[in-house]
Amino acid sequence: MTPDIRQRADRFCQRFGIALPILLAPMAGACPVALSAAVANAGGMGAMGAVLSTPEQIGQWMDDFRRQSDGPAQVNVWVPDPAPARDAAAEAATRAFLERWGPPVPASAGDAGPADFDAQFDALIAARPAVASTIMGVFSAAQARRLKAAGIAWFACATTLDEALRAQAAGADAVVAQGMEAGGHRGAFEAARADAQMSGLFALLPRLADRLDVPVIAAGGIGDGRGVAAALMLGASAVQVGTAFLAADESTIPDAWKQALTAAEPEHTRATRVFSGRLGRALDTGYVRAAEAADAPRPQPYPVQRGLTAGMRRQAQADNRLDAMQAWAGQSAWMARRGPAAAVVQGMWQQAQALL
């Protein structure tokens, strides 16, 4: 490993209390404590995706994590969008379409709202994770000051240089460069702009590394040591990996989802709004293809679409039925490996070191 790459990675690790520059991506509903603890105990950083978590759930997750690991973890929250415009007729059409894929959808399902962001933030301060992270925007100046006073670092997800510069100016301690290859939701600050902000990681990453003063964490399509090495070569101080851990022993996603990941080619994922109304990359399942067809109703805005699809998503998970499941996946899904998460972390880092 060249001296500048090693020094950059070592500085990041020392600053944020990890042995290896590998972070588990915060994936709401797919980051059980056991998975995060395994990654942290292997030298990386655990993660909680807390987009819809209550304050009590945030505190409980951190308590449970600390019982299983002395390592660090990040808690990720979703900066809320403005209230969506509602269209009763369009929602009725979407409900009728969704009933082909799951249980009847009551009209009230579209009333789903975001979590209480201020209450989540207060819980985060009380829980004292090593890192608070944001997606879809940045903390306010007052919130950034409270984090600093509490000794909590802030990682901000960005999909463009402009977003990254805004995050740095707002006080972020590091910026997560999210390439379009990444599974799950896109971190675009403006929901309507997400489709136009689809830069690949290896175009976005060096641009941010050249322009930012804070460390850059690479995310999107990294599934083995080759991706880790390439990201570090292009200026990253660390990497954030999600999909590659979803097939691990500690992952609790349905088995049909796990099996589909390892069989998925890069072209078998799609960026879509049909689950939540916000753009996210998922496996190209039967529901996704039908909902993206020209004759299907257009997805409702977030969080209306999320509320409307909730019953279908729950039923599909309960039935282990992939075709209607919200099966988030990055373009390197095929790299997901069965086995202990610690082995995934260690294998990634050993391969990256050999290449560097």
Side-chain angles (χ1 to χ4, degrees), residues 21-36:
I22 297 174
L23 286 58
L24 177 64
M27 301 174 287
C31 280
V33 169
L35 177 59
S36 283

Side-chain angles (χ1 to χ4, degrees), residues 43-109:
M45 182 180 289
M48 178 193 191
V51 56
L52 293 178
S53 298
T54 65
E56 293 75 19
Q57 288 169 334
I58 291 172
Q60 187 63 59
W61 192 96
M62 281 304 308
D63 288 344
D64 293 345
F65 175 81
R66 289 190 174 107
R67 280 191 283 270
Q68 297 185 36
S69 178
D70 293 327
Q74 63 168 304
V75 173
N76 179 266
V77 290
W78 190 331
V79 179
D81 289 329
R86 303 286 297 272
D87 183 328
E91 290 180 27
T94 299
R95 293 199 308 274
F97 175 83
L98 289 169
E99 288 177 8
R100 306 178 205 169
W101 296 90
V105 184
S108 59

Side-chain angles (χ1 to χ4, degrees), residues 208-220:
L208 269 55
D210 286 349
R211 291 291 305 276
L212 297 182
D213 298 320
V214 299
V216 179
I217 302 162

